[in-house]
Amino acid sequence: MAQEREPLLENGNAAGGGAKGSPTAPLPSLAKTVLKVLMWAVSLTWAAAIFFYPTKPAQAALQNWMAVTKHSLFGITGSIFLAFSAPILIVAALAYVYISVFPSDHVHVEKNKLKSLCFRLWTFPVLVDGPFGVVSAVEFIGIVLFITYVVYSMTYYALESVSLISKFDMTSLTHSELLLYIIGIRFGSVGLFCMAFLFLPVSRGSVLLRLIDIPFEHATRYHVWLGHLTMILFTLHGLCYVIAWSFEGNLLKEMAEWKEIGVANLPGVISLAAGLLMWVTSLHLVRKRFFELFFYTHQLYVIFVVFLAFHVGDFAFSIAAGPIFLFMLDRFLRFWQSRAKVDIISASCRPCGTVELVFSKPANLRYNALSFVFVQVRELSFLQWHPFSVSSSPMDGRYHMSVLIKVLGSWTERLRGIITDAQEQTRSGSGSESGRITACVEGPYGHESPYHLMYENLILVAGGIGISPFLAILSDIVHRIEEGRPCMPKNVLVLWSVKKSSELSLLSAVDAQFISSSVSDKLHLDIQAFVTQESQPPLEDGIVGDDQKATGMFVKNGTTMSGLVGTGDSFWAAMYFAASTLGFVLAYALAQAYYVPRFHVVAWWHLGLVFVLCMTAGVALPGGLVVLLWHLSEKGKAEDDSYSYD
């Protein structure tokens, strides 16, 4: 399931437990193997069930399964949910166990593993210049499998549809109309299975992404590919029906129909319209020029999902319910975390046009030098969240995390304006800068494994503010060497292109640390900077502008960063998942036992609404209670840590 990783860098605080040759070593190794085998087995079984679903043997097996379980409390919906959604939830549960028992702090890539077939398949580029961008071997295999699945399924369905037409009474429908109806249903069915994968890559703190160590910013490309595929299928699904209704001469009547028993057409039209708006505005040319239009339109995913449930009813919606439920878990957790106002230890502007924000964080918050965070400043916008790479190493300090922000647009320009105004007030002694910035932070996100520590030779290439994550990497390497912690890099080459020489002073913090002779003896650092747009020759004349940080401002908003998302506490995250899942199952059981029979609910759209509400209740009520306890636990630890620090 995950890329194979074995211990290379031991934890500096480890006490020798599980050392090679100890009697306890085989047991953890066996447990890891068992968990991996279980996750692979469930995942492959789930994928095989989807792939072979169109075939007659698979259809017969599903019919037998539904016949056995349809008289249970959950009915046919429960049967389909167990077949197509429960497996991904089981994999997620096993992943939480795996990550909790074998935390990634102790898991790194062995040097010889970097040359293994698995690792090379993930990193070796197969396509470089094409419609999908740079595609690795594993990604290419995935693309081929999805295309094969769609072509194979639709071909199978088309051949089957032709044979079925002869069995129908053609008194009311022509061959063409009936064929359009059958093919339309099949397009919708295949699209629904593709949608089962659509929400997995955009769950930013997903345990599945953590398991395979793919940061969500990389996984979003999979969401884009799947989004195109899903919307093509749903659009063809809708077009088949629109054409058939047009042939019959009752297009508007059919589009406005909202059936009680059967598929409700109007919700399907609304869902498809919302999907088309999201799809069109997410195209590269539109997204690049009108990003805010894309961002705000994409919030229609709520309408898309809810009205899809109205359209197909609870039992068909349950095919894709598992991944959607995982996305709801992630979205609720991110909403909770992002509401907290974070203390800003320092907010300062550099003359080179860079803003530095230093946030307060709890000592137990885990991240690495490849992480990034989303930042919101409420004085600028309640809706805009901007991603920034972390420019500080986790070893720079236990209680702070910093980001460097290049002033390039209106949002960053206004941010710099707030800080410079506060600095002017501080210099003149008039007014107070307190409370001028209300910042919220979401994250940190990024790779679980510190890949920059796994190679002896590093080449870091950056342009402008792109040096920010490399500052964290260099600082991390220097700290590890100074403290005698395991660290593979021995030679580091930094190639940095900047427009003005004033930007070069961003390296000053690393230079100061690198003066240490204990570091220079063990690390060869070569920084080659290239100034591309200098009108005067200050470097040749030995003149470099003084770009020391200006006097900053301190803003106390009431709390430190939260660790609820990203690389947060795995135990509490597992409890949140378990409570929400059990809450969802319990809510649906109560609805099926008391609400549905008491009020004689038979309408498909109504049952779909009940299903979605039960999913929401499971996340918000028992899940929300666990998140509250998690938050209080974090707050208590932070207070205890601050007392001990004082």
Side-chain angles (χ1 to χ4, degrees):
M1 191 70 188
Q3 304 160 2
E4 289 290 328
R5 297 184 178 88
E6 298 295 336
L8 167 67
L9 308 174
E10 302 293 338
N11 190 327
N13 297 324
K20 186 176 181 180
S22 67
T24 60
L27 186 59
S29 178
L30 177 62
K32 289 176 66 175
T33 302
V34 170
L35 283 174
K36 288 180 181 180
V37 170
L38 284 175
M39 287 186 286
W40 270 110
V42 176
S43 300
L44 292 176
T45 303
W46 178 53
I50 294 175
F51 191 86
F52 293 107
Y53 173 75
T55 64
K56 291 182 179 180
Q59 290 285 325
L62 181 61
Q63 292 295 330
N64 294 334
W65 168 250
M66 289 192 296
V68 172
T69 58
K70 68 179 181 180
H71 298 296
S72 66
L73 179 62
F74 300 101
I76 295 178
T77 301
S79 304
I80 297 177
F81 184 87
L82 284 175
F84 296 109
S85 284
I88 196 65
L89 298 182
I90 293 173
V91 173
L94 294 174
Y96 275 116
V97 174
Y98 185 90
I99 291 177
S100 299
V101 177
F102 308 105
S104 59
D105 282 344
H106 308 279
V107 183
H108 300 287
V109 179
E110 213 172 49
K111 186 175 180 180
N112 61 349
K113 291 292 183 181
L114 298 177
K115 300 180 181 180
S116 67
L117 176 62
C118 180
F119 188 83
R120 290 179 65 85
L121 287 176
W122 274 103
T123 57
F124 182 75
V126 176
L127 299 177
V128 177
D129 188 13
F132 299 102
V134 180
V135 178
S136 69
V138 170
E139 293 169 342
F140 180 76
I141 293 172
I143 293 171
V144 171
L145 287 176
F146 267 98
I147 295 176
T148 302
Y149 164 69
V150 173
V151 173
Y152 148 77
S153 298
M154 292 311 304
T155 302
Y156 189 94
Y157 284 140
L159 295 175
E160 185 183 45
S161 301
V162 173
S163 63
L164 285 175
I165 290 179
S166 60
K167 301 178 182 179
F168 284 87
D169 182 10
M170 306 303 295
T171 56
S172 59
L173 296 174
T174 66
H175 283 81
S176 299
E177 291 168 355
L178 184 58
L179 184 62
L180 284 170
Y181 280 130
I182 296 176
I183 295 298
I185 292 174
R186 301 312 189 187
F187 273 127
S189 175
V190 177
L192 199 58
F193 280 114
C194 289
M195 202 184 81
F197 295 88
L198 181 62
F199 286 87
L200 294 177
V202 287
S203 299
R204 295 180 180 176
S206 170
V207 67
L208 300 178
L209 295 181
R210 292 182 60 190
L211 179 68
I212 57 180
D213 199 12
I214 297 180
F216 99 91
E217 75 276 9
H218 184 84
T220 50
R221 66 200 308 236
Y222 309 145
H223 173 76
V224 173
W225 299 345
L226 288 166
H228 290 317
L229 177 60
T230 303
M231 286 311 305
I232 288 173
L233 293 169
F234 281 160
T235 302
L236 292 173
H237 163 74
L239 280 176
C240 287
Y241 279 90
V242 167
I243 295 172
W245 293 334
S246 298
F247 286 165
E248 295 176 6
N250 56 355
L251 174 61
L252 296 179
K253 178 183 176 181
E254 289 288 349
M255 289 179 64
E257 190 174 35
W258 194 313
K259 297 178 182 178
E260 293 289 311
I261 305 298
V263 173
N265 295 338
L266 182 58
V269 172
I270 296 173
S271 177
L272 181 58
L276 288 173
L277 282 173
M278 290 190 292
W279 188 26
V280 171
T281 55
S282 67
L283 297 176
H284 178 71
L285 293 177
V286 179
R287 186 178 70 250
K288 184 177 181 180
R289 297 186 59 185
F290 308 101
F291 179 81
E292 291 190 0
L293 175 64
F294 150 75
F295 176 79
Y296 295 129
T297 305
H298 234 64
Q299 308 313 307
L300 291 173
Y301 72 85
V302 178
I303 302 297
F304 175 74
V305 170
V306 172
F307 278 87
L308 177 64
F310 291 170
H311 175 56
V312 299
D314 56 337
F315 67 92
F317 181 77
S318 64
I319 291 175
I324 293 174
F325 183 72
L326 292 177
F327 175 78
M328 292 172 64
L329 287 171
D330 177 75
R331 192 65 191 88
F332 180 76
L333 200 60
R334 289 194 286 122
F335 174 81
W336 187 293
Q337 183 199 36
S338 61
R339 297 307 95 192
K341 303 173 184 177
V342 178
D343 289 343
I344 299 177
I345 298 175
S346 172
S348 57
C349 296
R350 296 176 181 268
C352 68
T354 302
V355 172
E356 182 180 40
L357 298 179
V358 182
F359 299 106
S360 174
K361 77 171 187 69
N364 62 345
L365 179 67
R366 297 191 307 108
Y367 73 99
N368 63 50
L370 298 171
S371 299
F372 68 97
V373 295
F374 284 86
V375 178
Q376 177 205 55
V377 177
R378 296 187 178 181
E379 284 76 10
L380 303 181
S381 173
F382 271 89
L383 299 177
Q384 292 189 30
W385 290 83
H386 294 266
F388 299 104
S389 298
V390 175
S391 60
S392 61
S393 162
M395 304 180 70
D396 283 335
R398 297 181 62 198
Y399 301 97
H400 75 270
M401 172 191 292
S402 63
V403 297
L404 292 173
I405 302 173
K406 182 72 172 180
V407 178
L408 293 173
S410 60
W411 189 89
T412 52
E413 185 68 43
R414 286 184 291 155
L415 175 62
R416 181 173 64 176
I418 293 175
I419 298 174
T420 54
D421 289 345
Q423 291 172 348
E424 291 298 327
Q425 291 178 5
T426 301
R427 293 190 187 98
S428 62
S430 61
S432 173
E433 73 275 14
S434 178
R436 294 294 302 277
I437 296 180
T438 306
C440 300
V441 178
E442 180 188 312
Y445 301 109
H447 280 287
E448 288 284 301
S449 300
Y451 285 98
H452 62 286
L453 300 177
M454 301 172 186
Y455 300 86
E456 291 187 359
N457 303 302
L458 293 179
I459 300 178
L460 309 177
V461 183
I465 196 61
I467 195 67
S468 181
F470 295 160
L471 296 178
I473 288 175
L474 294 176
S475 179
D476 197 42
I477 293 173
V478 169
H479 276 303
R480 285 182 172 272
I481 293 176
E482 286 180 337
E483 299 180 14
R485 297 194 180 190
C487 183
M488 287 293 295
K490 299 295 185 292
N491 302 287
V492 180
L493 171 61
V494 180
L495 302 175
W496 186 26
S497 174
V498 297
K499 293 181 179 180
K500 304 293 181 181
S501 59
S502 59
E503 299 180 50
L504 298 177
S505 59
L506 293 176
L507 287 171
S508 59
V510 177
D511 290 340
Q513 295 168 349
F514 188 66
I515 295 176
S516 171
S517 59
S518 62
V519 174
S520 59
D521 292 341
K522 299 178 182 178
L523 175 67
H524 178 257
L525 176 61
D526 183 10
I527 301 177
Q528 299 183 17
F530 304 88
V531 181
T532 60
Q533 296 183 15
E534 194 75 78
S535 57
Q536 301 295 330
L539 291 178
E540 288 80 356
D541 297 341
I543 305 172
V544 178
D546 184 11
D547 191 26
Q548 298 300 316
K549 287 191 294 183
T551 303
M553 55 185 291
F554 170 79
V555 181
K556 188 171 180 61
N557 288 318
T559 185
T560 62
M561 290 175 56
S562 171
L564 298 181
V565 185
T567 54
D569 190 299
S570 296
F571 171 79
W572 279 107
M575 293 300 101
Y576 168 61
F577 169 80
S580 299
T581 305
L582 293 176
F584 163 44
V585 174
L586 178 61
Y588 191 66
L590 293 174
Q592 289 291 101
Y594 298 103
Y595 178 78
V596 172
R598 179 178 179 182
F599 294 96
H600 306 288
V601 179
V602 294
W604 286 19
W605 71 266
H606 197 165
L607 292 171
L609 174 62
V610 170
F611 193 87
V612 172
L613 289 177
C614 290
M615 293 172 64
T616 306
V619 174
L621 298 179
L625 177 60
V626 172
V627 173
L628 176 61
L629 295 175
W630 184 359
H631 174 73
L632 294 176
S633 174
E634 271 198 338
K635 187 176 180 181
K637 289 181 181 178
E639 291 176 352
D640 294 341
D641 193 60
S642 63
Y643 290 147
S644 62
Y645 180 72
D646 294 337

